Amino acid sequence: MKIAIPKERRAHESRVAASPETVKKMIGLGAEVAVEKGAGIGANFTDDAYKAAGATIGADVTADADVVLKVQRPIVSGKDAELASYKSGAVVMAICDPYRTGDDVAAFAKSGATVFAMDLVPRITRAQSMDVLSSQSNLAGYKAVLDASAEYASAFPMMMTAAGTVSPAKVLVMGAGVAGLQAIATAKRLGAVVSATDVRPAAKEQVESLGGKFVAVEDDEFKQAETAGGYAKEMSDAYKQKQAELIAETIKKQDIVITTALIPGRPAPMLVSTEMVKSMKPGSVIVDLAVENGGNCELAQAGKVVTKHGVRIVGHYNVPSRLAADASALYARNLFNLLQLLVDGETKALAIDWEDEIVKGTCITRDGKIVHPALAPKDEPAPKEEAAPKEEVPAAASSEETPSAAPSEDSDAAPKGEG
């Protein structure tokens, strides 16, 4: 079994799909591992480190590979096209953002590749070690607070000095999934007064356990606002109006707002309107982790830091990639844990159990067809969808965001990104 680790070619991507640590583990599975020259530089993994781990270094590593491991989905056309260089039937594992990239998914099927979308790993206990949304969103939430502190012209903690007292920063986190909870914890560690909002009832206890104040309209609809998988449901227009009014009053008092809310397969919900921005104090900061999915803030601009009505609005691309070393190390472990599931321990060859719930939930193309029930073309019958597994990861442990990919109610951002 030959495994290839190509260099990422999409813009704003510094991560890599394998670390020297996971290269050693893959060789332990009986694989030959080839890493493209310079693939790990953005994450501070040198070619020499990969060589020391047992990998070979080359320029064209995917042509004869049985398995191709990537961060973001392969580019299907143009001068940087990657998919055409893979052999037919190759297993490809990457963050695919399949709900927003239907044309790419069709191209994957046409190529004959067997593609596993890491951002579709089921939210069950057995798959937690493979959950890239959680690993990447966690870092995105942390980095969002650091980005806010860099733009905020005052201190986070209360400081008492001979010249007077500095008041602590007031931080509101919108969306209390993985990214949001990490943002709460980080802001608290920096000394801020933190509050948070989310439409999932389970989030209240999680927010309060981290020392934050929970802000939400807690009516009957709110109590039913969470799916079995831990994701946020789409709320009614009436609820959205009541929640918007509460948030509008809350935002006026905040120094920093961090938004992380995503809904799988849909544009990010608009949470912070222009009028809300106008109501904030001059010098306030908004960090929008969902900016690549349409944004939670009406005035956020993808890839830019802008000032609108005296408020700094941060909309960085691919936030997990801005912590590339740790993001790559965690993602590489997620990948290896799924790969391990696909390999026979005795024969050291691929032996995919197509009835395994993790395999079925993650594979999107196989044998020239789109096989995931949620992605099958409308003119073709979708494969029969199995009943949801009984053992779900609690909402507290689930993720949402993607980096460029990203679901629950948090972003990972990335371009999931994921966030």
Side-chain angles (χ1 to χ4, degrees):
M1 178 175 63
K2 296 182 179 180
I3 300 175
I5 314 297
K7 187 175 183 178
E8 295 297 315
R9 286 167 169 75
R10 291 187 183 273
H12 315 294
E13 186 55 78
S14 298
R15 292 171 292 179
V16 64
S19 64
E21 174 200 4
T22 59
V23 165
K24 286 182 181 179
K25 290 182 177 180
M26 286 186 280
I27 292 173
L29 288 179
E32 297 176 27
V33 182
V35 178
E36 184 175 350
K37 183 177 176 61
I41 296 302
N44 299 325
F45 299 142
T46 65
D47 291 344
D48 287 342
Y50 286 121
K51 285 182 183 178
T56 59
I57 307 297
D60 181 12
V61 298
T62 60
D64 62 346
D66 302 300
V67 178
V68 179
L69 303 183
K70 286 184 51 61
V71 178
Q72 295 202 48
R73 67 189 183 281
I75 298 172
V76 301
S77 61
K79 64 182 180 65
D80 293 323
E82 302 169 89
L83 194 61
S85 71
Y86 302 172
K87 73 177 186 182
S88 182
V91 170
V92 181
M93 300 166 65
I95 296 170
C96 294
D97 197 7
Y99 294 119
R100 294 194 298 154
T101 56
D103 290 345
D104 283 3
V105 174
F108 299 158
K110 186 176 180 181
S111 75
T114 299
V115 178
F116 289 88
M118 295 301 296
D119 36 338
L120 293 183
V121 169
R123 287 181 143 176
I124 57 176
T125 300
R126 191 164 66 90
Q128 279 185 294
S129 65
M130 310 166 198
D131 187 352
V132 303
L133 298 181
S134 289
S135 69
Q136 304 303 291
S137 296
N138 194 48
L139 291 171
Y142 165 78
K143 185 62 173 174
V145 176
L146 300 189
D147 288 339
S149 69
E151 300 296 337
Y152 185 51
S154 300
F156 264 58
M158 173 182 285
M159 297 182 182
M160 302 183 71
T161 74
T165 300
V166 175
S167 299
K170 294 180 180 179
V171 176
L172 173 66
V173 178
M174 304 185 75
V178 173
L181 292 174
Q182 182 56 248
I184 293 167
T186 302
K188 286 294 292 184
R189 285 196 295 268
L190 291 178
V193 175
V194 184
S195 54
T197 181
D198 195 291
V199 297
R200 295 170 300 134
K204 179 177 181 178
E205 182 178 350
Q206 297 156 23
V207 168
E208 292 175 346
S209 72
L210 292 171
K213 177 184 177 183
F214 190 68
V215 180
V217 175
E218 299 183 44
D219 58 11
D220 289 339
E221 184 175 0
F222 172 78
K223 296 174 183 177
Q224 306 296 324
E226 188 173 323
T227 69
Y231 291 100
K233 289 182 180 179
E234 182 77 17
M235 305 298 283
S236 70
D237 289 341
Y239 182 89
K240 289 179 182 177
Q241 179 62 33
K242 289 187 289 185
Q243 180 74 353
E245 291 172 359
L246 174 61
I247 296 303
E249 288 302 312
T250 303
I251 279 180
K252 291 178 183 179
K253 307 168 187 176
Q254 305 303 310
D255 300 301
I256 293 168
V257 175
I258 296 173
T259 69
T260 72
L262 290 172
I263 298 172
R266 300 188 184 186
M270 186 60 63
L271 303 179
V272 182
S273 66
T274 298
E275 290 304 312
M276 291 178 183
V277 175
K278 289 180 178 179
S279 75
M280 297 180 73
K281 296 172 285 186
S284 298
V285 176
I286 297 172
V287 179
D288 191 341
L289 286 180
V291 69
E292 292 173 272
N293 282 41
N296 297 142
C297 176
E298 187 175 10
L299 298 179
Q301 297 181 29
K304 296 182 179 180
V305 178
V306 297
T307 300
K308 300 289 184 179
H309 309 291
V311 177
R312 296 285 280 172
I313 304 174
V314 180
H316 290 305
Y317 285 120
N318 196 355
V319 175
S321 183
R322 301 180 69 236
L323 293 169
D326 286 330
S328 296
L330 295 177
Y331 179 71
R333 291 172 197 156
N334 294 145
L335 274 177
F336 175 77
N337 290 331
L338 179 56
L339 177 65
Q340 207 173 12
L341 185 66
L342 311 182
V343 177
D344 185 283
E346 294 183 4
T347 65
K348 308 296 184 183
L350 285 171
I352 303 173
D353 177 4
W354 297 109
E355 295 305 312
D356 186 283
E357 61 186 323
I358 297 175
V359 172
K360 291 169 69 174
T362 310
C363 185
I364 59 174
T365 66
R366 175 190 173 202
D367 298 331
K369 297 180 181 179
I370 297 172
V371 297
H372 196 282
L375 303 171
K378 294 180 181 178
D379 57 346
E380 294 182 15
K384 185 177 179 181
E385 191 169 4
E386 298 293 323
K390 295 180 180 179
E391 187 177 16
E392 295 283 352
V393 178
S398 65
S399 142
E400 59 283 342
E401 316 105 358
T402 175
S404 241
S408 155
E409 234 226 29
D410 264 5
S411 130
D412 140 115
K416 107 146 9 70
E418 183 298 39

